[in-house]
Amino acid sequence: MTSAEIIEPLGHHELLLVIVQFTALLFVARTLGEAFRSIGQPAVVGELLAGVMLGPSVLGLVAPSVYEWLFLVSEAQFHLLEVISWLGLIMLLIVTGLETDIDLIINKGRTAVVLSLGGIVVPFATGFALGWVLPAAFIAAPGQRLVFSLFLATAMSISAIPVIAKVLIELDVVRRDIGQLILAAGMVDDTIGWILLATVAGLARTGVFNVGSAVATILSVVAFLGVAFTIGRRFTVDLVRWVDNAFGSDAALLSTLMLLALAAGAITQYMGLEAILGAFVVGVLVGQVKRFDYELRHMFEVVTLSIFAPVFFAIAGLRMDIVALADPTVFGVGVVVFGVACFGKFAGIMGVTPFAGLSRWEGITIGGGMNARGAMEIIVATIGLGAGILTIEMYSIIVAIAIVTSLMAPAIMRWSIPKIEVSADERDRIEREAYRQESFVENLTRVLLPTRGGADTRYAARLLGPLLRDREIELDVLCVSEATEGSGGRISEVATRIRRGLAAWLRPTVRESNTAVAPDSAERIFDAVERQLGEDVREPRRIARERAESVAETILEESSLGYDLLVLGETGAGRTPDEPLFSETVNRVVQEAPCPAMIVSTQSAAVPPADSLERILLPTVGTVSSRYAAELAFAIAASENALVDILHVVERPRFDERFAGEPDLSRQAGIGEQIVEREAALGRRLGASVLTTVTSASSPEAEIVDRAARTDADVIVMGSDVRLLSQRAFLGHRVEHVVRDASCPVAVLSA
């Protein structure tokens, strides 16, 4: 390669200028954004005004020399800033896609579709008609009036989901029926809007409008969406799952999301569509993957909305010419466009409200919400300017409409929402959704089951089968084997110790009660465990690991990779009270596990057949661990058509602790009744058959064991908190007694 072929690095002044531009735009945008947020207005309005403040309208008048040095630069220099702006735009569309709830749209069904059609058809028609009669001076390419009219129609049809969602959250009505309808209709509206935008922008790039180019563009959109929501959907799910399994880090998942969006954006850009369509679709697809949970979405959203999106909005405002809006002709056209935009949305929504079975106040609320254009309108305007469809005057008008309608929406919705009554069905649904958000079982995504093939872990798999059935929960089965010869020997061991740090090097190797298995027996063990899961459960992932320092260390290393539940099998029967209940491996894993752990103990080597789970005994004391254990029991029972026997035992004072006569336990019994009734209500809601009992006994643990024997319970499920005692995991005297003496298997969940 000759010196002439080597790309010269970015010059010192060019790099300095882009850094200063980025700093100034981000600082002013975030400052004004927070200022507007503090007075109850969308932050995007302040971020747009930041560009106006730094543009020719303000900074250009107040300090023209500063403005000229900062922003009156060459096209190549300004394009550097535009690259950052486009990254912000792509990330913003990913966030919008992540917030698009396909299940919500499906659940709202006909009503959402009727509302969205009203909210897009009428504005599209009025916007198209307006574009057809506007003066030619407002069209960048007068010969493409049809394309301009289609573009203006699309701009009038779009809504701003982020602004709508923000207002609904602030008013605490986002989970109400009206909030769900607005979001569902807005999502359908925007999805159609983005497809229209990609189509119109693709037509604009051809330079002419003809039937052939229009059909080609539409077919390109349909083909991309068809592949994305079939092959692409499966690929996205598998890729996210693989990355989570292989790396188990938030950084890896966020990188995967961004890479997918950039790749899809490159594909749609290559097809003559917009990169934002690819980014939006990837956001929708990834948003449906349970592994990409709320925390990850929030993390990506924070980075986007705090750094990259504000710069995009500020640059959009930077292009806005306030002086041009002061021109009587431009101002008059702006007022007309604003009036048509508001009329189209309200007329469309109010016109279909009776067909959707909604009241007048509901129609006003939905119309007010969907009339907000916000960030989405800015994106449309930016693409129109870049595609040569809009003049700077028309661009400024559309940006001004985005600002004004975003300011209007909160005021309209705050006024109309309190006039909409909450129905009983709506209240029940809100309570169910609140439970799902806080539920232990409903938020399980990954479960780890270490096994040596014993009866305990096989019975643990038997319990997990009904829990995993019909749920998007991944089960990983881990088998720890002895290191094979030639796997590294002493050198590998020393390297492993150095990697784990000085603390691991100094820790003495403890005796393992649960030893590793022979390397050639792993497949047989996996097969035995999987047979207990049942036929309707997705095949688990098999993980074979060679023992590191210890079996416990190996299990803990694997459990740190993003699991929600760790299930351990351990025999506690036959041990005397003087002996530790669990092996050193289980003791250490339970104490140091980064997630809740469930210990399953059987009393014999015989695992019950698949159809033997008919009765579950659930002792409860009302703690968080008891509630989590109850959720597990109810989920299993609902899947197996089993009965859950909910038991609360009030402890009676022993004979030598009484002063005189029988003690009054009515208050404790009343509390017990409240506890079991609360659990029973949850069980019925989850579809389980329940039986409640409150009794008293001088030894609650003996009563639990005795009741399990009397009622022929198949398994006891109970919760307990781990307490440290003599360097072992102590679950309490009551739990340990039950595990040792019960005649049936026992599952203890430590939350």
Side-chain angles (χ1 to χ4, degrees):
M1 181 180 290
T2 65
S3 59
E5 295 174 320
I6 298 176
I7 300 175
E8 291 290 332
L10 190 64
H12 175 80
H13 178 72
E14 287 81 3
L15 180 59
L16 170 65
L17 196 55
V18 76
I19 291 175
V20 173
Q21 289 173 331
F22 186 86
T23 303
L25 288 167
L26 181 59
F27 173 75
V28 179
R30 291 300 300 127
T31 301
L32 291 181
E34 290 299 329
F36 271 78
R37 190 193 305 275
S38 66
I39 59 175
Q41 295 299 331
V44 63
V45 176
E47 291 162 358
L48 283 166
L49 292 178
V52 176
M53 296 288 291
L54 294 173
S57 305
V58 179
L59 185 62
L61 295 177
V62 176
S65 58
V66 176
Y67 169 72
E68 290 173 6
W69 180 83
L70 199 56
F71 295 112
L72 283 185
V73 294
S74 66
E75 288 187 3
Q77 177 68 54
F78 196 79
H79 288 336
L80 295 175
L81 196 60
E82 278 191 319
V83 170
I84 301 175
S85 173
W86 269 99
L87 282 175
L89 177 55
I90 288 172
M91 293 175 72
L92 189 62
L93 264 295
I94 296 173
V95 171
T96 305
L98 290 172
E99 292 177 348
T100 302
D101 190 340
I102 299 297
D103 292 334
L104 171 62
I105 295 173
I106 294 173
N107 289 338
K108 293 304 172 183
R110 174 183 172 276
T111 304
V113 171
V114 169
L115 289 171
S116 63
L117 288 177
I120 203 168
V121 171
V122 177
F124 189 91
T126 55
F128 183 85
L130 178 63
W132 203 253
V133 299
L134 278 178
F138 290 87
I139 306 174
Q144 295 188 52
R145 181 176 285 275
L146 180 57
V147 174
F148 171 78
S149 299
L150 289 171
F151 184 87
L152 189 60
T154 302
M156 296 295 99
S157 305
I158 211 83
S159 297
I161 289 295
V163 173
I164 297 170
K166 177 181 180 296
V167 177
L168 293 173
I169 291 170
E170 288 178 350
L171 297 177
D172 195 26
V173 293
V174 70
R175 302 312 302 174
R176 282 191 55 184
D177 284 353
I178 186 65
Q180 296 284 281
L181 277 175
I182 294 174
L183 288 176
M187 288 171 187
V188 176
D189 194 318
D190 275 5
T191 302
I192 297 173
W194 291 125
I195 295 171
L196 288 172
L197 177 61
T199 304
V200 174
L203 293 175
R205 286 196 176 89
T206 63
V208 294
F209 181 89
N210 57 62
V211 175
S213 62
V215 171
T217 302
I218 294 171
L219 288 177
S220 297
V221 174
V222 172
F224 174 77
L225 293 176
V227 172
F229 284 97
T230 52
I231 300 172
R233 182 175 187 174
R234 185 70 261 170
F235 173 77
T236 301
V237 172
D238 291 343
L239 179 62
V240 172
R241 184 179 299 153
W242 179 83
V243 169
D244 194 24
N245 290 338
F247 303 101
S249 71
D250 293 347
L253 287 171
L254 290 174
S255 299
T256 302
L257 170 64
M258 197 66 194
L259 287 169
L260 282 173
L262 291 172
I267 291 172
T268 51
Q269 192 76 17
Y270 176 78
M271 294 172 66
L273 308 173
E274 283 296 323
I276 59 167
L277 178 64
F280 174 73
V281 169
V282 166
V284 173
L285 294 177
V286 174
Q288 296 179 65
V289 182
K290 195 173 181 181
R291 293 287 186 93
F292 208 87
D293 56 20
Y294 170 78
E295 286 74 16
L296 280 173
R297 300 182 194 191
H298 181 66
M299 193 183 306
F300 187 84
E301 183 177 345
V302 166
V303 173
T304 300
L305 299 184
S306 61
I307 299 176
F308 291 96
V311 173
F312 164 73
F313 293 131
I315 293 175
L318 196 66
R319 293 191 177 99
M320 186 176 177
D321 190 357
I322 297 294
V323 177
L325 289 176
D327 180 87
T329 303
V330 176
F331 182 79
V333 170
V335 171
V336 171
V337 175
F338 172 76
V340 170
C342 293
F343 170 79
K345 277 292 181 184
F346 273 98
I349 295 297
M350 295 301 293
V352 299
T353 293
F355 300 101
L358 302 175
S359 68
R360 179 169 59 92
W361 286 113
E362 288 172 322
I364 292 173
T365 302
I366 296 170
M370 294 181 66
N371 188 49
R373 268 52 176 214
M376 304 299 102
E377 190 90 314
I378 308 304
I379 295 170
V380 173
T382 302
I383 291 171
L385 188 66
I389 300 174
L390 301 179
T391 62
I392 191 65
E393 291 81 11
M394 198 65 203
Y395 170 86
S396 299
I397 289 172
I398 293 178
V399 171
I401 290 172
I403 294 174
V404 176
T405 54
S406 297
L407 292 172
M408 288 172 55
I412 294 174
M413 295 170 74
R414 286 191 180 97
W415 168 62
S416 60
I417 284 178
K419 297 176 173 61
I420 303 173
E421 296 183 1
V422 182
S423 66
D425 291 341
E426 182 180 357
R427 189 175 291 107
D428 290 341
R429 179 186 58 79
I430 293 172
E431 290 177 357
R432 287 195 304 271
E433 291 180 352
Y435 158 72
R436 290 193 189 100
Q437 290 179 353
E438 299 176 359
S439 166
F440 173 66
V441 170
E442 293 297 330
N443 288 287
L444 288 177
T445 57
R446 296 182 68 192
V447 177
L448 178 64
L449 174 64
T451 180
R452 296 180 64 247
D456 302 288
T457 48
R458 281 185 281 133
Y459 191 78
R462 170 69 185 88
L463 293 179
L464 286 174
L467 180 66
L468 302 177
R469 199 174 298 147
D470 300 325
R471 285 186 172 87
E472 292 184 20
I473 303 176
E474 297 289 332
L475 174 64
D476 291 351
V477 182
L478 171 66
C479 190
V480 182
S481 64
E482 293 290 355
T484 57
E485 292 185 8
S487 61
R490 180 62 183 170
I491 295 176
S492 176
E493 181 182 349
V494 172
T496 300
R497 288 180 181 273
I498 293 174
R499 177 173 59 83
R500 288 174 185 159
L502 186 60
W505 175 262
L506 295 175
R507 185 188 301 122
T509 302
V510 297
R511 177 182 62 82
E512 292 290 344
S513 299
N514 283 10
T515 57
V517 302
D520 58 354
S521 61
E523 290 302 315
R524 174 180 55 79
I525 292 172
F526 285 136
D527 290 339
V529 170
E530 288 181 15
R531 281 195 295 270
Q532 293 298 326
L533 291 172
E535 297 180 355
D536 299 332
V537 177
R538 184 189 303 129
E539 184 177 340
R541 188 169 70 114
R542 297 181 173 189
I543 304 174
R545 295 278 187 267
E546 288 189 353
R547 182 174 65 85
E549 291 180 5
S550 64
V551 174
E553 185 75 24
T554 310
I555 294 173
L556 287 169
E557 278 191 1
E558 185 65 31
S559 66
S560 66
L561 299 179
Y563 289 94
D564 304 304
L565 177 64
L566 175 62
V567 182
L568 301 162
E570 179 76 339
T571 298
R575 297 177 186 262
T576 67
D578 295 332
E579 293 180 291
L581 183 63
F582 303 123
S583 67
E584 291 171 355
T585 294
V586 172
N587 274 324
R588 184 178 169 199
V589 170
V590 171
Q591 290 181 74
E592 300 181 22
C595 62
M598 182 169 72
I599 305 170
V600 178
S601 175
T602 59
Q603 310 306 311
S604 68
V607 178
D611 58 352
S612 67
L613 200 59
E614 298 177 357
R615 191 181 185 103
I616 300 172
L617 179 60
L618 177 67
T620 180
V621 292
T623 62
V624 172
S625 292
S626 290
R627 168 52 65 98
Y628 286 0
E631 286 192 39
L632 286 172
F634 296 142
I636 295 169
S639 182
E640 293 281 300
N641 293 320
L643 173 69
V644 179
D645 185 1
I646 307 172
L647 173 66
H648 178 82
V649 183
V650 177
E651 186 172 5
R652 287 201 306 263
R654 298 183 184 278
F655 182 79
D656 54 0
E657 295 175 352
R658 302 177 189 173
F659 289 103
E662 289 293 326
D664 183 6
L665 301 178
S666 57
R667 181 173 177 274
Q668 291 90 326
I671 295 174
E673 291 286 353
Q674 293 176 9
I675 292 173
V676 297
E677 282 304 320
R678 186 186 65 182
E679 305 293 19
L682 174 62
R684 296 186 190 100
R685 179 183 296 172
L686 298 179
S689 300
V690 298
L691 175 68
T692 62
T693 303
V694 177
T695 187
S696 62
S698 57
S699 175
E701 55 270 26
E703 175 63 23
I704 294 170
V705 171
D706 184 55
R707 185 173 181 85
R710 291 197 316 267
T711 60
D712 198 22
D714 296 303
V715 63
I716 300 172
V717 179
M718 58 196 309
S720 181
D721 297 321
V722 174
R723 285 155 273 180
L724 297 181
L725 181 67
S726 302
Q727 299 182 343
R728 73 180 180 91
F730 178 59
L731 298 171
H733 294 292
R734 184 174 301 180
V735 171
E736 296 206 349
H737 178 91
V738 173
V739 172
R740 282 190 175 95
D741 298 338
S743 58
C744 63
V746 181
V748 183
L749 177 67
S750 170

